[in-house]
Amino acid sequence: MSSSWVRGVVASPYGVIAVAAVYGPLIWMAMSLAIIPLFTHRPPVINIRWWVQFVGHIPFVALPIAATIGRTSL
């Protein structure tokens, strides 16, 4: 909420989708490539399941978050 740039993008037409398309995959990559291997001491396995979750983070994780940001910035 403190970033005026993100609030500006979310307020634009299709802005929620644009933010979700960037934010969702970034969340998944950070978790699967850095955080989880750090705690499990195993390298990530990039297979079809990894890609499904990568793409799935856009509508199921990032879109609700971006929509909430867009709704609260009005």
Side-chain angles (χ1 to χ4, degrees), residues 2 12 17 19 43 47 56-57 59 63 69-70:
S2 63
S12 68
I17 296 170
V19 170
N47 54 19
H57 263 66
L63 192 60
I69 291 170

Side-chain angles (χ1 to χ4, degrees), residues 10-72:
V10 169
S12 68
Y14 303 108
V16 171
I17 296 170
V19 170
V22 173
Y23 187 60
L26 283 176
I27 292 170
W28 178 245
M29 287 191 310
M31 289 301 294
S32 69
L33 299 177
I35 305 299
I36 294 171
L38 180 69
F39 287 108
T40 62
H41 304 290
R42 290 183 301 176
V45 177
I46 299 177
N47 54 19
I48 189 68
R49 180 179 175 198
W50 190 93
W51 285 105
V52 167
Q53 292 176 350
F54 178 82
V55 173
H57 263 66
I58 295 170
F60 299 115
V61 176
L63 192 60
I65 293 170
T68 302
I69 291 170
R71 195 173 304 143
T72 60

Side-chain angles (χ1 to χ4, degrees), residues 1-12 19 69 73:
M1 282 303 297
S2 63
S3 176
S4 62
W5 181 80
V6 173
R7 282 185 277 132
V9 172
V10 169
S12 68
V19 170
I69 291 170
S73 67

